[in-house]
Amino acid sequence: MRTFFLLICILEIVSVANATSKKEEIHLVTFEAPPYLGEKLPEHGAGVYALREIIKKTNFTLKVTFVPPLRAKQIVNKDGYAGFFPVSLANLPSGFKMSRVFYRTPWMIAERKSSPILWEKTVDLIPYKIGNVAGYDLYKDQQELVNKKKLHVESASNDEANLLKLANKRVDLIFIEAAMFEFLMKTSPRLKPFQKDLQLNPRIVNLDEYGIAFKDNKQAQEQMAAFNKAITEEHFTRLISEYFKKHPALNP
């Protein structure tokens, strides 16, 4: 009887220890942006891999839900989500705070080689028909011209569809992240016939600085504080390189 009682006590202690040691989950929303983010990519892409490895150093674990870009800022407002990524400070919605910046990438114009775009300022793009993925925020000067109905921007469901519209001359140029362009032109069977027809314009639209948008509430802000202590841009970049060494076919 005494042995049985001791066994029960030990089991209770182990149960309490397991409960207290169980890590809390950070549930984030994101969207398809291969090779960095992708529900069907190995380990959900280079970006998710890097973030998961970094969050392992905290008392949290990472859970990611993929949705179309247009829905990301809508679904994240539901209970159970801590925030969404990637986000830049210029496009941070109200009710959220941005983590430390951990990734920088050029936002570019893709064009047909036969019809290169000559431009210096956003107003120079007014004569052209522009493609942009639904849910991708425009920059302030671009949005102002759209609101004034001076800049003609058409939506596409994703970056591959946007590039196909460009290749088929349905738009004159598109906005796209540089690595995304290189990856899709290299790997997409639908874009293979156009590999020699499309290129990136040499002028950078903007150098984006990305982080995670955390909700402005106590729980999410505690998670952001832990994340900010663990993350460095150098570590994130090193993990991205590590991912592409593991999956060289995905390297843009």
Side-chain angles (χ1 to χ4, degrees):
M1 186 70 177
R2 184 177 179 182
T3 303
F4 178 75
F5 177 75
L6 288 172
L7 180 60
I8 293 297
C9 290
I10 291 170
L11 289 174
E12 287 181 351
I13 291 170
V14 170
S15 178
V16 170
N18 286 338
T20 55
S21 63
K22 186 178 180 181
K23 290 190 173 185
E24 184 182 339
E25 190 175 76
I26 299 177
H27 194 175
L28 300 175
V29 176
T30 191
F31 49 82
E32 296 286 330
Y36 296 99
L37 309 168
E39 192 166 16
K40 295 181 180 179
L41 291 175
E43 301 172 274
H44 288 166
V48 174
Y49 168 79
L51 290 177
R52 182 169 282 117
E53 289 299 307
I54 288 166
I55 289 174
K56 280 181 182 178
K57 299 192 303 181
T58 71
N59 290 324
F60 299 95
T61 60
L62 176 64
K63 180 179 179 180
V64 175
T65 294
F66 286 87
V67 298
L70 196 59
R71 290 189 59 213
K73 292 181 183 179
Q74 300 169 355
I75 193 172
V76 74
N77 287 311
K78 295 182 179 180
D79 292 340
Y81 298 104
F84 70 94
F85 73 98
V87 69
S88 64
L89 192 58
N91 297 317
L92 184 69
S94 61
F96 290 83
K97 291 185 177 180
M98 183 173 157
S99 73
R100 289 179 62 180
V101 170
F102 53 80
Y103 181 62
R104 303 169 200 267
T105 184
W107 198 248
M108 307 290 290
I109 284 174
E111 61 191 10
R112 290 185 296 276
K113 291 181 180 179
S114 60
S115 304
I117 306 299
L118 300 176
W119 73 289
E120 292 185 4
K121 300 177 181 179
T122 301
V123 291
D124 298 330
L125 302 178
I126 288 176
Y128 301 104
K129 187 182 292 186
I130 301 168
N132 191 54
V133 173
Y136 286 4
D137 291 315
L138 296 171
Y139 298 102
K140 184 179 179 181
D141 57 342
Q142 297 169 349
Q143 190 61 57
E144 287 176 351
L145 289 175
V146 169
N147 293 342
K148 293 177 182 178
K149 298 183 179 181
K150 291 184 177 181
L151 199 65
H152 184 178
V153 179
E154 293 188 359
S155 294
S157 58
N158 55 57
D159 287 281
E160 183 186 51
N162 212 18
L163 283 165
L164 285 168
K165 288 177 70 173
L166 175 64
N168 289 306
K169 300 182 179 181
R170 292 172 57 194
V171 293
D172 302 309
L173 64 97
I174 68 167
F175 296 132
I176 191 168
E177 192 262 332
M180 174 86 75
F181 174 86
E182 299 295 347
F183 176 78
L184 289 174
M185 295 305 297
K186 176 182 173 182
T187 62
S188 168
R190 298 174 70 193
L191 289 168
K192 188 174 181 179
F194 307 106
Q195 285 178 340
K196 295 182 179 180
D197 300 332
L198 304 182
Q199 65 183 12
L200 290 175
N201 187 279
R203 184 176 292 277
I204 294 174
V205 176
N206 196 64
L207 183 63
D208 282 340
E209 300 181 338
Y210 288 119
I212 297 173
F214 283 90
K215 288 180 178 176
D216 191 8
N217 61 43
K218 183 180 179 182
Q219 182 181 22
Q221 287 304 298
E222 287 175 353
Q223 294 173 348
M224 187 176 82
F227 176 77
N228 282 344
K229 287 181 180 179
I231 187 77
T232 66
E233 192 171 342
E234 293 76 16
H235 190 193
F236 182 83
T237 302
R238 188 164 64 251
L239 287 167
I240 292 290
S241 298
E242 181 179 295
Y243 178 88
F244 287 131
K245 286 180 181 178
K246 293 172 63 178
H247 307 286
L250 298 177
N251 197 348

